[in-house]
Structure formats: structure tokens, C-alpha cells
Amino acid sequence: MKNFTLPAMAFALTSLSAAAFAQDYEGAVKSALPDFTTANAYSGVTINVACRHLPAMDFIEAHKALFEQYTGAKVNFTDYPENDLRSHIVTDAANKAGGFQLYCLDDNYIPLFASNHWVQPLDSVIKPAYKIDDLFDSLRAAYSWQGKLNGLPIYSEVTILYYRKDLLAAKNIAVPTTIDALEAAAVKLKDAPRTYGIALRGLRGEGMNVYTWTEWLRSYGGDFLGAQMQPVFDSPAAIEGTEHYAKIITEAGPPGSGTWGWPQVSSSFAAGRVAMTVESTAFYPTFNDPKQSNVVGKVGYAVVPAGPKGAYPANYAIGLAVAASVPSDSKQFTAATDFLQWATSQQMEFARTAQDIGNEDRKSVNQSALLKSKLDAGYIAAVSEGQKITKKDYRPMIPQWREMGDIIGAHIETVFTGETTAKAALTAAAGEVTTRFKAEGVAGTARPYEELFADQ
């Protein structure tokens, strides 16, 4: 069967109905199979996938029968809750159990899995049809470790500035492009107790407050670790960034928001209780769903505001990686890598986008007529720019990141609740991380990544 090309599909958007779009993109997914794998090549081969429910992953799972029918392979998905998934794949990988051939893996787990040789490099098996250069550069970097590609993305996000167009217009406030302007706008937009200027994550955790606070750390020139893995996130630059983050929460945020996580932040914006937030692109559907949002049609989108050292959108991705327990010279390995590439292909991403499953990972989809027919142009532009400027090492890509991030998150929460100062909290966090690194034999070793403001 002939494979569809992007120009042909994009041109067709001007004349086809939405149902026809979906049908054509579905056809392209099936037509692409010969570009990624071989007919009837894997009879008797089983591919077990450890994953969790996400719209993009569920879409792949719903299409697995196409791969099975074409190749003869059997593809089994085992879906775990998020925390259970992490424990299961770590156990399987560390023990070389071989229970799974593909792991659903967060990008910040790549250093841990790659450094322990729990997953396999993919560079030599990537096919031309995959169009690897079509992935956002930040995602290729996120799934690489020491120059080798160790996974392929199925979901990605960056942070953007969401703002109420009507509230800013009513007070003649320009969309903030700097952190200073964001602070000033948030204070002006505060109209307590009816509305507040902004909501940001304050709740402790590397995936909670640290996720967005790091934007302020970076924007003021702060790093996490020195050349010998010594904590430097208690530097004057880091303290300044933390003070600004705390100030905007305490002066313009709702009462108690210093302990809010993303559920409270996103729900408060959707309810119309806050005028702005810096949050994940994943919340676009929520804010534009009349069943979940009171602000439909009133939301604007922009790149995150910049500090003295620039703008640093947060990033996060989920992808698939091949377990090291799979023999690289086996049919199982070839079948797994064929399925992985087809499942995360350009054709698959267009097809899920046609079904309103977003979070695009590819430049072609981000700039496509299809996406522009579905999403706000300002949102697409903010995502595109955010993906261009976000940094691979926004957070340290090291095996110890999660424990280190959680330590930092616990201490900085006390700043956002007004219990202590930024200097005291960061000094305490640095001391705790130092103690942990010494106990683990990490202190004094060479830092395995380049800091953004290295060894200043």
C-alpha cells in the first residue's frame, strides 16, 4: 500500500471533513508498516510493554493489532499506576528479569537506566522512515545519554504562561515578558477575595514545586551542581531567584497557595480565581473544556517570562525504551525496535492529533494545518518557541536527580509558606544533598553533564 506524504495530507485539509481527516491519517498509520517492519517476520515473537495509561499510550495500544496482523508478533501491554510502574521497571531492569522488552520511561529516568546499562542504545537501528530530525531537538537530547539515543518520546510538555486576556485588557496590562513585569502584573491583577494575580506550584517535590521553581533558578543564573558534584544551588543567584518566586506567591497568590500542587493551581485558573499561571502545556484541554473551565475563550498563551539570564521553560517527556535484557541479535530485539519506531512515528502522531490527542513531539505536527485547525494559534506558537528554547539540562540529568530534587523541594516549600528565608532553606538543602552524595560515593566525582552557567 502506498504511504501518505505530509504535503498531500496537509493540502487535503482545505477540502475534507473532520471525519475524512481522521480516516486518512488512520490509513497512513497502516500504510506505514512496510517502512518500519517486515511482513510475517515475527511469528512466535512476543513483545511485553510496561506502561501506564496516557491518551497517547492508549492510542498506541488501541492500534497494536495492526502491527500484530502484519508481522505475526504478539504485543502485550501491562498498565500500571505511575508510581507502581516505576517500581516494576526498576526491579525488572536491575534484576535483568526479562519480563518486559519495552519500558515506558520518563526522560529524567534515562540517566539512571542508561548509566546502569538497563536499556539499549537505538542509534544503529533508527530507520530513515522514522524521520528522527523531525523530533523537537530538546526531546532527542532528553532521551540521549553520553551521546547515545536511549529511547523515543510519545508525550512531551513544556511550561507556558497562561493569562486571562479579559482581565489584562481591563487594566491595560501588557502580556508580561519578564519576571519583573510578571510580578508587577500579578499584584495589579489581585482583586481579593474574588480573584488573585497568579498561582504557582509551592508543594514540595521534584515534580511539583521544583518543576516550575527551576525556571526562576535558571532565569537568575543559578546552577545545581559544581564540576565535582558539589551543590551550588544555594548561590546568590539561586537565592535571588527563589526570593522572587516566593514573593509573587505571597504577594499576589491565593491564601495557602504556598503548598499548592498542580491540581490546585490548574483548577484555580480553570475556575477563574486567578488571572495567570505558569504551567504545563498539558492543561490546554482543561482550560478550554466548558465542562471543566469557566474561562473558555478568555485565555491567552505566551512563552514563560524571562529573568536577567533569559527564559527557561520547564520540560518533561515520557517515551519508550528497549530493555537491556533483550539479546541485540534476536528477532525479539528487531521486533521491539520496529514496533517502537512505528508506534512513535510521524504517521502515528498525525493520527492521534486528528483524534484530538495532542502533546505533539514533532516539528511537522506542531506546524501542520491539521493542528492549526484544532488549537489556538497563540498556544501553538508558545509551545513551538518553548520547545526551541528549553534546555536538556534544565534539571540535572543524573541518576540521583529524583532524591536530590525531592530534598530541594521539601526545603523551598518552607520559603513559599513564609516559614524561613530562601538563604536558610537552600543552605539546608545543599547540606543534606552533600551528606547524601558523600554516603553514595558521588561527592568529588566529575559532573556527567554541562551546567547552564558552568563553573561561574
Side-chain angles (χ1 to χ4, degrees):
M1 297 179 68
K2 185 177 179 182
N3 192 15
F4 291 96
T5 62
L6 176 59
M9 290 189 289
F11 178 78
L13 285 169
T14 60
S15 58
L16 295 177
S17 68
F21 296 163
Q23 184 176 8
D24 282 355
Y25 289 118
E26 286 288 325
V29 169
K30 185 174 182 179
S31 299
L33 279 164
D35 295 330
F36 292 99
T37 191
T38 305
N40 306 312
Y42 302 127
S43 179
V45 174
T46 298
I47 306 167
N48 294 315
V49 186
C51 57
R52 65 184 176 96
H53 285 299
L54 293 165
M57 179 60 81
D58 293 345
F59 188 82
I60 292 170
E61 186 172 357
H63 287 73
K64 70 170 187 170
L66 294 174
F67 187 88
E68 292 175 325
Q69 292 163 8
Y70 186 77
T71 66
K74 180 66 176 176
V75 183
N76 298 320
F77 282 72
T78 302
D79 298 302
Y80 296 103
E82 182 175 357
N83 289 333
D84 289 347
L85 171 65
R86 290 168 180 162
S87 63
H88 276 88
I89 62 177
V90 167
T91 299
D92 185 85
N95 295 324
K96 298 180 172 58
F100 301 99
Q101 288 68 55
L102 290 174
Y103 298 137
C104 183
L105 205 61
D106 293 4
D107 60 343
N108 52 27
Y109 254 72
I110 288 294
L112 175 65
F113 276 66
S115 64
N116 283 308
H117 305 288
W118 291 346
V119 292
Q120 303 193 47
L122 300 174
D123 305 85
S124 64
V125 300
I126 297 297
K127 302 174 187 293
Y130 189 72
K131 300 181 176 67
I132 189 77
D133 291 337
D134 187 38
L135 291 178
F136 282 115
D137 296 341
S138 58
L139 292 177
R140 288 181 62 184
Y143 277 89
S144 296
W145 174 254
Q146 296 184 343
K148 295 180 180 179
L149 184 67
N150 288 276
L152 296 173
I154 58 171
Y155 165 90
S156 65
E157 64 183 49
V158 292
T159 48
I160 60 174
L161 172 66
Y162 295 93
Y163 62 91
R164 285 279 299 278
K165 294 184 290 185
D166 55 331
L167 297 183
L168 268 68
K171 294 197 173 184
N172 197 30
I173 297 173
V175 178
T177 59
T178 67
I179 290 177
D180 285 346
L182 183 72
E183 291 177 0
V187 171
K188 290 180 182 178
L189 290 164
K190 181 178 177 181
D191 187 17
R194 184 173 60 179
T195 57
Y196 292 85
I198 196 167
L200 297 171
R201 301 186 193 190
L203 182 66
R204 63 184 59 193
E206 66 85 17
M208 282 292 182
N209 55 14
V210 176
Y211 180 70
T212 47
W213 161 83
T214 300
E215 294 183 30
W216 271 252
L217 171 80
R218 296 306 197 184
S219 293
Y220 282 86
D223 281 334
F224 280 95
L225 297 169
Q228 296 299 309
M229 291 290 286
Q230 75 275 21
V232 296
F233 54 78
D234 56 347
S235 67
I239 293 169
E240 184 179 9
T242 305
E243 288 172 342
H244 278 273
Y245 193 87
K247 178 182 178 183
I248 200 169
I249 290 175
T250 56
E251 292 189 358
S257 60
T259 59
W260 282 11
W262 62 257
Q264 295 85 3
V265 170
S266 60
S267 62
S268 67
F269 186 84
R273 290 194 61 222
V274 296
M276 299 183 294
T277 185
V278 173
E279 259 302 342
S280 163
T281 47
F283 292 110
Y284 178 92
T286 300
F287 298 157
N288 288 277
D289 180 359
K291 295 180 180 179
Q292 303 180 71
S293 174
N294 295 328
V295 295
V296 176
K298 301 176 182 178
V299 184
Y301 315 92
V303 177
V304 298
K309 296 295 184 180
Y312 293 88
N315 57 65
Y316 173 68
I318 303 170
L320 288 168
V322 180
S325 58
V326 184
S328 60
D329 59 351
S330 67
K331 275 191 174 183
Q332 193 176 48
F333 176 81
T334 308
T337 56
D338 286 359
F339 178 77
L340 169 56
Q341 292 178 75
W342 174 75
T344 60
S345 65
Q346 183 189 69
Q347 291 88 347
M348 191 72 79
E349 187 165 315
F350 267 110
R352 74 178 192 234
T353 302
Q355 296 291 338
D356 298 321
I357 300 171
N359 304 112
E360 65 274 8
D361 303 324
R362 290 178 172 271
K363 302 168 189 174
S364 58
V365 179
N366 177 262
Q367 294 301 312
S368 68
L370 172 66
L371 196 70
K372 292 174 182 177
S373 73
K374 291 177 172 291
L375 304 180
D376 186 283
Y379 171 80
I380 294 173
V383 173
S384 180
E385 182 63 18
Q387 286 283 14
K388 287 178 183 177
I389 66 174
T390 193
K391 305 298 183 185
K392 171 194 173 185
D393 293 309
Y394 169 82
R395 64 178 72 75
M397 297 296 278
I398 56 174
Q400 302 80 15
W401 165 247
R402 284 189 180 275
E403 64 178 28
M404 173 180 162
D406 283 342
I407 289 170
I408 296 171
H411 285 280
I412 61 175
E413 183 189 69
T414 64
V415 185
F416 310 147
T417 58
E419 298 171 56
T420 190
T421 66
K423 181 177 181 180
L426 293 175
T427 298
E432 189 173 339
V433 170
T434 297
T435 299
R436 292 289 290 269
F437 279 10
K438 286 180 178 178
E440 296 170 4
V442 175
T445 62
R447 186 184 60 219
Y449 70 98
E450 185 176 349
E451 271 287 4
L452 300 191
F453 307 102
D455 306 319
Q456 55 184 318

